[in-house]
Amino acid sequence: MRPLVVTGTDTGVGKTVFAAGLTAALLATYWKPVQAGLDEATDSETVAALSGRPVLPEAYRLRRPASPHLAAEEMGVRIDLDRLALPQVDGPLVVEGAGGVMVPLTRKAVYLDLFARWQTPVILVARTRLGTINHTALSLMALRNAGCPVAGVAFNGPPEPEVEETIAEMFSVPHLGRLDPLAELTPATLARAFDAIDTGTIQTAIRGAL
Ligand SMILES: Nc1ncnc2c1ncn2[C@@H]1O[C@H](COP(=O)(O)OP(=O)(O)OP(=O)(O)O)[C@@H](O)[C@H]1O
Ligand SMILES: [Mg+2]
């Protein structure tokens, strides 16, 4: 199985929560290539705690919770895309970006450029709340323009069947399922909520994307 990229329509849409559920469900390894912001729990720490699965070390750990290019500049670091090659692991690998597809890694490159280099399936996480159709469509357009294989959209939040269906149909993208909002996030509650996401559907979508 090719490594899977989890990106999102925005920051804070639930990429890490979804990635943790997916990592656990696929018995995968998780990798966050660039972490910006070290004061709160990092995404790697969150995924390790929620999935109980192996987590690879980040290639760049940047102090400031900001766009990676700014967080890097502040530390006198320049992010080198050549250092962000996909690692080889046994079994599936789930890779999380930061923010959305147009977030800069350097003054010249955005996450989309990295995903396009990798040529590996991308899952777009989208909230179900108002505004999501626009953000999802724009992200899909950017991913497709860059030639990234899009596996599908996974929703996070309360059910919005008309919105979810509109996105899947109008923009011809597989609907990979929806995660309910959880009152308490633990490995057990996440695993139960993730039952609503059919990993068979995801595997089929991945094959369809390649
Ligand atoms: N389904 C959910 N149920 C409960 N809480 C959730 C759910 N999805 C996301 N959250 C919470 O919302 C916040 C943002 O989610 P998350 O960290 O997964 O977003 P992200 O897209 O990975 O953000 P970033 O761009 O910073 O990496 C977190 O506090 C997370 O615990
Ligand atoms: Mg995250």
Side-chain angles (χ1 to χ4, degrees), residues 11-191:
T11 188
V13 295
K15 292 182 297 294
T16 300
V17 170
F18 179 83
L22 186 64
T23 301
L26 296 177
L27 301 177
T29 299
Y30 171 88
W31 186 44
K32 174 97 176 175
V34 181
Q35 171 69 41
L38 299 175
D39 288 345
E40 318 258 295
T42 61
D43 284 358
S44 296
E45 287 163 355
T46 301
V47 172
L50 284 175
S51 72
R53 298 292 307 163
V55 167
L56 301 177
E58 301 94 337
Y60 292 94
R61 289 171 56 84
L62 310 168
R63 264 189 310 271
R64 184 171 156 202
S67 174
H69 77 298
L70 296 176
E73 283 174 8
E74 192 170 281
M75 292 172 70
V77 170
R78 197 183 158 278
I79 294 176
D80 177 0
L81 269 61
D82 292 336
R83 267 190 61 196
L84 298 177
L86 287 171
Q88 299 286 326
V89 295
D90 288 332
L93 178 69
V94 173
V95 183
E96 182 183 342
V101 297
M102 293 302 286
V103 166
L105 287 159
T106 68
R107 296 265 166 187
K108 299 231 165 84
V110 296
Y111 268 93
L112 197 59
D113 300 308
L114 190 60
F115 301 159
R117 269 188 189 211
W118 286 343
Q119 283 300 309
T120 206
V122 176
I123 295 177
L124 181 66
V125 177
R127 288 191 187 106
T128 51
R129 72 165 206 209
L130 200 62
T132 241
I133 296 178
N134 178 59
H135 289 138
T136 307
L138 288 171
S139 302
L140 286 172
M141 199 190 288
L143 285 163
R144 286 169 173 161
N145 268 338
C148 298
V150 177
V153 176
F155 293 92
N156 188 25
E160 287 287 352
E162 290 169 304
V163 170
E164 297 167 42
E165 188 198 336
T166 301
I167 288 172
E169 287 190 1
M170 267 190 84
F171 309 115
S172 309
V173 68
H175 182 318
L176 301 180
R178 184 185 54 80
L179 258 188
D180 262 327
L182 299 171
E184 201 196 359
L185 258 178
T186 67
T189 60
L190 180 58

